[in-house]
Amino acid sequence: MASHVLLIEDEPNIAEAIRFILSRDGWQVSTMTDGIGAAEAVRAARHDLVILDLMLPSCSGLEVLEAIRADPATEAVPVLMLTAKGQGRDREAAERAGVSRFMTKPFSNAEILASVRELVAR
Amino acid sequence: MPFNILVLSCLAYVAFLFLVAFLAERRAAMGRIGWLRSPMIYTLSLSIYCTAWTFYGAVGYAARSGLEFVTIYLGPTLVFVGWWLLLRKLVVIGRQQRVTSIADLISSRFGKSNLLGVVVTLLAVVAATPYIALQLQSVTLSFGVFASETPEGWALPDRDSTAIWVAGGLALFTILFGTRNLDAKEQHHGVVLAIAVEAVVKLVALLAVGIFVVWGLAGGPAEMIERIDASSIADWDLQPGRWAGLIFVSGAAVICLPRMFQVMIVEDGEERHMARASWAFPLYLLLMSLFIVPIAVMGLERMPAGSNPDMFMLTLPLAEGQGTLAMLAFLGGFSSATSMVIVESIALATMVSNHVVMPIWLKLRPKAAMSGDVRRIVILSRRLAIVAVLTLGYMYYRLSGGSAALAAIGLIAFVGVAQVLPVLIGGLYWRGATRMGAVAGLVTGFAVWAYTLYLPSFGPGAALSVAVFEQGLGGIGWLRPQALFGVEGMDPLLHALFWSMVLNTVAFCGVSLFTFPGPVERMQGAAFVNVFDAEASGPQGWARGRAEPEALLVMTQRILGKEAALAVFAAEARGQGKDGYLPDATPDFVAGLERRLAGSVGAATAHAMISQIVGRATVSVEDLMAVANETAQIMEYSAELESQREELTRTARQLREANEKLTQLSVQKDAFLSQISHELRTPMTSIRAFSEILTEGDLPPEMVANYGRIIHEEAIRLTRLLDDLLDLSVLENGSVQLNLSLANIQQLIDRALASAGHTRPERVFEIHRDLPSENLFVRTDADRLVQVFINLISNARKYCDAEAPELKITVRQRAGRVSVDFVDNGSGIPKQSQGIIFEKFARLTDQTRAGGAGLGLAICREVMANLGGTIGYLPGQGGAAFRVTLPLRLEQQAA
C-alpha cells in the first residue's frame, strides 16, 4: 500500500509540482490549500507524512505543526516544512515546534523526493 | 613748682601709660589674656565714669550746691546695684549680637537700620562734644594753676594753645592704642589696662588729698565734721525734683554714654565680671566721693574769695605748700580727663566709621568691599574720626568761652545721651517697638534737648538769639527754649530733661504703635526681648506663642522657597481653622516645621534657626540670614541642576524614541526583505520544479503545454514584481521623471478602463460614470495618473465580491483641485485593515485571486504624492471606495 502524504500549500503551481513529483514516485498525495482543519485531517486519515508550507493564508504553518504535535494520535507523524522566506528565525521556530525537516524554496525535485523517502522510511 | 617739670612729669606719666598699654597689647597678642580680663580690671575700667568733671568738678559742685553732687554717684550706684534688671540683659545681648557700640545695639535691635545707627552716632557725637571740651578745659585749667603758681592767678596767658596741645596729645595716644589694629569685637586690652591704671591713680590722688585735708588741715574727722557743720555747705536745701531728675539722668548716662557702653559691654561683656562690679563699682564711687565735701569745705575756708572751687583739688595743696601732693592731684585729674577722652573717642570713632563713613564709602565704591583695602579704610576713618571728635571738643571749648562751671557742662552731656534711654529700654523690653518709632523718639528728644539745653548753653545771643530766648522761636511764646509750653520757673536742666524725655518717649511709643516692624526687626526684637528665655529654658519642646508666625514664614521661605513655604503655612492655618497663611505658632507646628527645615538645611541649622525665632538664640540673626541665603542659593543651583537633569532625561527619551523608530524601521526593512524573498522565491520554485519535470521528458503533450504555460505565467509574475519594486524605489526616492501635459480626465478614465479590462476579463462589470463632469483638463503626468486609475479599477475587478459588481466613478472639481472617486458595491475593506492597505505587501486576501505582489496601492500612494495629490480610502460608502485628489495644474518642481 502506497504511503499517504498530505500536502498543505497555498500556491497552486507549487502544489501541482510537488504532487506530480511524488505521485510519479508512487506516493498517494492529498492536498489542502489552507491550514485550517489540517491537524484534524491528519488525525483522521493517518497520513504517513505532512508537507507543510510555512506561509499559509489563514493560519501559519507553525500553528498547524504545533496542533499536530500536540495531539498524541498525530505527534509522531513526520512533518516536512517548506518556506520561501528563508530566514534563520523561521527555521529555529519550526525546529522548536518539532519539525522533522525544514526546506527552503526553491528546491530541486530530487531533493524533495529524497527527503520524503527518508522521512517515511524512518 | 616749675611748669617745665610739670610738663616733663606729665610726659613721663603718659610714657608710662604707653608702656603699660603696649605690654598689655603684646600679652594679649600672645593669647595670654588672663588677668587682663578680670573683675578687678573691669571694675577699674568702669571708673572712666569719673572724669575730670568728677575729679575736679565734684568739689566745685559741692562748694556751690552742697550735697547735690552725690546724685551724680547715686544714679550709677542704683543702676549697678540693680544690674540684673537692665545691665545683665545688655551684656548678654551685646555678646550674642556682637555689638560694637551703643549705636550698633540700637541699629541692630531695629532690624539693622543704618538710619538709626547714624542718628544715634550723631546724637552721641553732639552730646559728647561738650563733655570732651570739659576734659580739655579741666586739663588746661590745671596746667594754668601750675603755670601761674598762685592760687588766684590760675588763668594761663596762652590757655588756648595749651588746650590744642592737650587735644593733640590725646588724639595721638588714642590713635596709637585705639586704632592699632582692627578687632572683630572692638576690644582694646592695652587701652583698658591703661585706664585701669589711671583709675587707681585718680582714686589714690583723691584719697591722698582728702586725707591731707582731713587729717593735715582740719586735724581729724571730728574737727572736720565740725567745720562742715559750720560751713555754708551745711545750709543746702534738698530739692526733691532736682535730686530725682539728677539721679535719673546720671543713671541713664551710665548706661547710654558711649564710653561707658564701650567698657561695660564691648570691651569685656562677661556677666560674672559685672556681678562683681555691681558692688565694687559703687564702692569705688563711694571712695571717690568720700572726701569731696571736706575738700570743698576746707577750700572755701582756706582759699581766697573768688578762687575757682573747681580747682580746689590743686590749689589747696599748692597753697599749703604740698607740691608733691598737688602734683599727684594733677596726675589724678589728668588721668580722669585722658582716660575719658581716649575711651570716648574710641567709642565715637567706632560709631562714626561703622555707621557713617563705611556705609557711604561702600556705597561709593561697592567693588572695594571685596578687596582687602577695607581694613585700611576702616582704620583710616577711625583715626580721622578721633581727630574730628577732639577738634569738635576743642571748638566747643573755644566757643563756650571755657569759663562755664564744669558740672553744668557735664550735665548737659548727660541729658543729651539720656535721649537714647527710652529707645534702648523699649527695644529691650517691648516687642512692639519699631524702627520708625525709634527714629521719631530719638530725633524728637535730640531736637528738644538741643533747643532747650544744648544751644542755650552757649549763652543768649550765641547759638540762639536773645529774641528767641525771650519771645520763643518765631515769636511763638510757648516755644521759648527754657519755658516750653509756657512752663515757667522750672530749673532749666530739669525743664529740658522733662520735656525731652517726655516728648521722646511719646514720639517713640506713638509712632511704634502706628507702624509695623519688618521681618528682620521682628526677629531681632524677639532675640533682644526674649534673650534670657533662650538661655534659661531647656532643649525640649518649643514653648507656646513664643514665635512670630511671620518671622517663621520669612525664614521658611528662604529655605523652602516661597510657594512651598506658603503651602505649608496655609495648610497649618486651615488645620487650625484660620484663614490666610499665618497659623498660630503652636509647639507642634514649630516642631514639625523644624523637622521640615531640617530636611533642607540639616538638623543643627534648622534648630538654630527656629531657636532664633522662638527665642533661644545662640547664633546671630545675621549668621542665620547668611545661612538661609546660602541655602537659597544652593537650592537655586540644585534647581538649575534639576532642570539640566530634566533636559538630559528629555534628550535621552528623544534618543530612545529615535532608537525605537530605527529599530522599528530595521524590523520593517527585515520584514520587507523577507516579503520580497518570499515573493521572488515562490514563482522561482514553480519555474524550477516544472522546468526540471519538463527536462526529464516522458510526458504527455497536454501536460507539457500546461506546465510550459505555468512556467511562462510565473516568469511574467516575476517580471511584474521586479518592475513594481523598481517603480516603487524610483517613486520613493523622488527621482521620478514626470512628463507633464494637458490631459482630459474623461479620456484618462477611458484609457484606464480599457487596460483594466484585462483583469479577470470573465467578470461583467457595470461602470457608472457622469461623462459631462469628467470633461476636465488637468495638467499632470497622464501616464502616471492612468496607472493609478488602472490599479484602482483592477482592484475593484479583482476583489469586489458582489453578485452583480458595479463601479461608480465620480469626478468633482473644487478650489483648484480635482477629485476622482472609485466606489464599488462589494463588501469593502474591513475597518481594521483600512489603515494598512497602502503599505507594501499589504495584500489582504490570498493571492490566487489577486495575482499581484501587494505593491499596487503602495505604488499608487507614491505616484499621487509625486503628482501633488493624495489617495485615500473612504469608509462607509457601502463598498470599497477610494478617492484620488490632484491639483488642476501641477507645476514642474524645481529639481
Side-chain angles (χ1 to χ4, degrees):
Chain A
M1 180 189 155
S3 296
H4 194 179
V5 175
L6 177 63
L7 171 64
I8 308 170
E9 169 62 74
D10 62 326
E11 279 285 338
N13 293 341
I14 295 174
E16 170 59 21
I18 294 170
R19 189 203 59 78
F20 178 83
I21 295 162
L22 294 184
S23 305
R24 195 176 56 180
D25 197 53
W27 298 81
Q28 187 191 340
V29 181
S30 305
T31 56
M32 293 178 74
T33 56
D34 200 312
I36 292 170
E40 289 74 15
V42 176
R43 180 192 173 93
R46 300 269 165 189
H47 295 108
D48 299 297
L49 174 72
V50 176
I51 299 178
L52 184 58
D53 186 21
L54 180 66
M55 253 180 66
L56 293 169
S58 301
C59 65
S60 100
L62 274 179
E63 287 169 68
V64 176
L65 173 62
E66 279 164 8
I68 293 170
R69 290 283 178 261
D71 186 344
T74 56
E75 63 177 349
V77 177
V79 175
L80 170 62
M81 190 169 261
L82 303 174
T83 181
K85 287 172 106 182
Q87 280 186 320
R89 237 194 339 248
D90 295 325
R91 178 187 284 270
E92 286 165 24
E95 278 167 2
R96 268 201 304 279
V99 77
S100 311
R101 180 157 300 193
F102 193 88
M103 284 181 70
T104 308
K105 299 175 188 172
F107 40 80
S108 77
N109 296 351
E111 215 178 335
I112 193 161
L113 197 55
S115 293
V116 169
R117 284 176 180 164
E118 205 180 309
L119 286 170
V120 175
R122 214 186 286 150
Chain B
M1 176 181 291
F3 185 63
N4 289 344
I5 293 178
L6 179 78
V7 173
L8 269 181
S9 47
C10 219
L11 288 177
Y13 179 64
V14 170
F16 167 68
L17 290 180
F18 262 107
L19 187 68
V20 166
F22 178 72
L23 292 177
E25 288 279 314
R26 219 174 60 169
R27 202 182 151 84
M30 291 189 298
R32 301 209 311 257
I33 293 176
W35 52 268
L36 288 178
R37 282 184 67 177
S38 61
M40 186 185 73
I41 299 290
Y42 181 63
T43 305
L44 287 174
S45 72
L46 290 177
S47 73
I48 54 157
Y49 178 75
C50 306
T51 65
W53 172 33
T54 323
F55 193 83
Y56 294 120
V59 176
Y61 201 154
R64 292 185 194 97
S65 318
L67 275 182
E68 195 176 282
F69 79 94
V70 174
T71 56
I72 304 304
Y73 299 103
L74 277 179
T77 299
L78 288 176
V79 167
F80 266 84
V81 168
W83 69 284
W84 39 267
L85 266 178
L86 179 64
L87 293 185
R88 187 163 77 102
K89 198 163 190 174
L90 273 180
V91 166
V92 173
I93 289 171
R95 189 178 58 228
Q96 279 180 7
Q97 303 273 334
R98 294 180 161 210
V99 166
T100 58
S101 66
I102 187 157
D104 189 30
L105 180 94
I106 301 288
S107 142
S108 181
R109 160 61 181 88
F110 295 98
K112 317 259 170 188
S113 155
N114 198 49
L115 174 66
L116 268 175
V118 171
V119 170
V120 176
T121 300
L122 193 67
L123 179 66
V125 169
V126 173
T129 301
Y131 217 141
I132 287 170
L134 175 65
Q135 311 305 316
L136 295 179
Q137 180 183 342
S138 61
V139 174
T140 310
L141 281 177
S142 59
F143 269 115
V145 168
F146 281 90
S148 58
E149 287 219 48
T150 54
E152 301 85 13
W154 50 269
L156 200 63
D158 194 10
R159 63 190 182 96
D160 289 347
S161 67
T162 308
I164 285 186
W165 279 108
V166 171
L170 287 173
L172 190 66
F173 186 91
T174 312
I175 286 170
L176 279 175
F177 279 96
T179 64
R180 263 163 56 96
N181 48 20
L182 272 186
D183 186 289
K185 293 184 72 187
E186 304 294 349
Q187 291 178 338
H188 312 85
H189 296 287
V191 172
V192 169
L193 189 63
I195 60 174
V197 169
E198 291 191 301
V200 175
V201 169
K202 62 193 179 194
L203 181 62
V204 167
L206 210 148
L207 289 179
V209 173
I211 287 166
F212 165 72
V213 165
V214 173
W215 278 274
L217 296 181
E223 288 81 357
M224 190 67 238
I225 288 169
E226 273 174 37
R227 283 167 191 267
I228 291 171
D229 284 339
S231 74
S232 59
I233 292 176
D235 298 335
W236 65 285
D237 302 319
L238 179 72
Q239 295 173 277
R242 201 172 149 83
W243 268 64
L246 290 176
I247 289 173
F248 170 79
V249 83
S250 60
V254 82
I255 300 165
C256 299
L257 278 168
R259 67 173 191 279
M260 289 310 293
F261 195 89
Q262 180 78 24
V263 292
M264 210 158 54
I265 313 291
V266 181
E267 297 283 358
D268 188 287
E270 284 193 33
E271 285 171 86
R272 55 194 181 89
H273 294 177
M274 187 166 269
R276 178 81 70 87
S278 68
W279 57 263
F281 181 58
L283 180 66
Y284 184 92
L285 293 179
L286 178 69
L287 292 175
M288 284 296 281
S289 57
L290 202 56
F291 292 103
I292 299 294
V293 172
I295 295 168
V297 168
M298 288 310 290
L300 287 174
E301 195 179 302
R302 295 285 177 100
M303 300 308 290
S307 42
N308 187 350
D310 285 333
M311 287 293 116
F312 283 166
M313 281 290 291
L314 290 178
T315 49
L316 201 56
L318 277 178
E320 300 299 326
Q322 297 291 328
T324 314
L325 187 61
M327 184 72 213
L328 183 63
F330 171 81
L331 286 182
F334 185 76
S335 297
S336 309
T338 53
S339 57
M340 178 274 172
V341 173
I342 288 164
V343 179
E344 185 86 26
S345 49
I346 287 175
L348 290 177
T350 304
M351 287 156 72
V352 168
S353 90
N354 283 7
H355 297 283
V356 183
V357 178
M358 290 318 289
I360 292 173
W361 192 76
L362 289 176
K363 192 167 275 183
L364 292 178
R365 300 189 49 195
K367 276 184 187 162
M370 303 299 167
S371 75
D373 270 355
V374 178
R375 294 173 64 85
R376 205 169 49 80
I377 296 296
V378 170
I379 290 185
L380 184 66
S381 72
R382 297 258 166 108
R383 290 178 177 166
L384 290 176
I386 287 168
V387 172
V389 163
L390 282 163
T391 307
L392 279 176
Y394 175 71
M395 282 169 64
Y396 184 94
Y397 166 73
R398 287 292 302 272
L399 278 175
S400 67
S403 58
L406 296 184
I409 302 181
L411 284 173
I412 290 170
F414 272 24
V415 176
V417 296
Q419 301 308 320
V420 179
L421 191 70
V423 170
L424 182 69
I425 296 201
L428 292 188
Y429 293 97
W430 183 33
R431 294 278 302 269
T434 70
R435 186 172 64 95
M436 290 319 294
V439 172
L442 282 170
V443 169
T444 306
F446 183 60
V448 174
W449 166 74
Y451 184 64
T452 58
L453 195 62
Y454 185 63
L455 296 180
S457 76
F458 293 97
L464 296 174
S465 68
V466 179
V468 171
F469 269 94
E470 287 174 358
Q471 275 109 44
L473 194 63
I476 303 166
W478 55 270
L479 277 184
R480 274 174 293 165
Q482 294 183 331
L484 273 189
F485 306 111
V487 179
E488 289 191 60
M490 207 168 160
D491 178 85
L493 184 89
L494 275 186
H495 171 266
L497 177 67
F498 175 77
W499 282 120
S500 63
M501 292 310 281
V502 165
L503 294 176
N504 179 335
T505 308
V506 166
F508 172 49
C509 296
V511 175
S512 285
L513 287 175
F514 286 101
T515 52
F516 295 95
V520 183
E521 252 183 288
R522 280 177 171 278
M523 288 170 44
Q524 288 292 79
F528 275 59
V529 174
N530 301 321
V531 69
F532 292 121
D533 304 323
E535 299 204 325
S537 49
Q540 72 281 5
W542 303 109
R544 174 174 289 269
R546 274 266 179 266
E548 288 288 343
E550 293 98 312
L552 284 172
L553 180 58
V554 166
M555 184 60 83
T556 311
Q557 280 181 359
R558 284 178 178 229
I559 296 168
L560 299 181
K562 194 168 184 182
E563 278 81 1
L566 283 177
V568 169
F569 277 68
E572 173 68 17
R574 268 199 310 281
Q576 294 179 2
K578 296 175 76 174
D579 286 328
Y581 51 84
L582 285 178
D584 292 332
T586 59
D588 283 348
F589 174 56
V590 175
L593 191 64
E594 188 193 338
R595 282 193 296 277
R596 193 179 279 268
L597 294 187
S600 294
V601 295
T605 312
H607 186 79
M609 308 189 94
I610 296 282
S611 36
Q612 188 63 44
I613 297 171
V614 177
R616 279 175 207 153
T618 46
V619 276
S620 84
V621 171
E622 216 165 28
D623 295 342
L624 287 169
M625 285 299 185
V627 168
N629 279 333
E630 270 169 28
T631 310
Q633 278 167 12
I634 290 168
M635 302 260 295
E636 225 164 77
Y637 181 63
S638 57
E640 216 167 86
L641 284 180
E642 181 69 17
S643 75
Q644 282 176 5
R645 203 179 65 82
E646 277 169 10
E647 206 175 311
L648 278 177
T649 313
R650 224 170 15 251
T651 310
R653 197 173 56 234
Q654 283 166 356
L655 281 174
R656 205 163 47 240
E657 283 168 3
N659 187 44
E660 275 166 16
K661 210 168 187 174
L662 281 174
T663 312
Q664 217 176 330
L665 280 175
S666 169
V667 168
Q668 281 177 0
K669 189 199 74 183
D670 287 350
F672 181 61
L673 286 176
S674 174
Q675 279 284 358
I676 288 179
S677 163
H678 182 264
E679 297 302 323
L680 290 174
R681 284 169 188 269
T682 301
M684 291 283 276
T685 308
S686 300
I687 292 169
R688 186 172 173 183
F690 286 115
S691 54
E692 274 184 29
I693 291 167
L694 290 177
T695 314
E696 287 156 12
D698 210 15
L699 277 176
E702 70 276 9
M703 281 184 74
V704 171
N706 189 26
Y707 290 172
R709 187 185 49 76
I710 291 177
I711 291 173
H712 180 69
E713 262 178 24
E714 295 288 359
I716 288 174
R717 181 175 162 192
L718 257 182
T719 314
R720 199 167 59 233
L721 176 67
L722 291 173
D723 285 346
D724 281 356
L725 280 173
L726 210 62
D727 202 13
L728 192 62
S729 156
V730 168
L731 288 164
E732 280 184 340
N733 287 342
S735 55
V736 64
Q737 192 65 43
L738 292 180
N739 201 356
L740 297 184
S741 63
L742 267 188
N744 187 285
I745 294 279
Q746 190 185 331
Q747 289 172 5
L748 297 182
I749 294 174
D750 289 344
R751 269 174 66 187
L753 284 169
S755 288
H758 302 303
T759 310
R760 294 180 79 183
E762 75 282 2
R763 297 193 80 182
V764 178
F765 232 88
E766 196 174 336
I767 308 292
H768 299 280
R769 295 172 67 180
D770 178 35
L771 294 179
S773 66
E774 291 177 4
N775 195 8
L776 268 175
F777 280 88
V778 293
R779 181 181 161 79
T780 191
D781 186 319
D783 293 339
R784 284 294 187 183
L785 190 55
V786 169
Q787 183 189 356
V788 172
F789 290 172
I790 292 171
N791 211 299
L792 291 174
I793 296 165
S794 298
N795 278 353
R797 291 189 75 102
K798 280 184 220 165
Y799 302 119
C800 181
D801 48 4
E803 283 294 324
E806 291 175 16
L807 179 66
K808 190 178 178 191
I809 301 173
T810 314
V811 179
R812 283 193 204 89
Q813 184 204 340
R814 189 182 301 151
R817 290 184 80 81
V818 179
S819 70
V820 186
D821 292 356
F822 297 83
V823 183
D824 67 26
N825 61 344
S827 54
I829 293 171
K831 204 176 175 83
Q832 71 274 12
S833 303
Q834 288 169 6
I836 61 158
I837 50 175
F838 294 103
E839 300 301 326
K840 287 168 264 207
F841 302 112
R843 197 170 38 217
L844 298 178
T845 52
D846 85 346
Q847 65 234 50
T848 43
R849 283 160 58 202
L855 290 173
L857 285 176
I859 290 171
C860 286
R861 186 177 62 175
E862 295 303 323
V863 169
M864 290 318 298
N866 276 280
L867 294 181
T870 59
I871 181 170
Y873 187 79
L874 296 176
Q877 299 295 314
F882 289 87
R883 169 170 289 173
V884 174
T885 70
L886 66 154
L888 266 177
R889 290 186 60 81
L890 177 65
E891 300 302 331
Q892 187 77 54
Q893 278 164 337

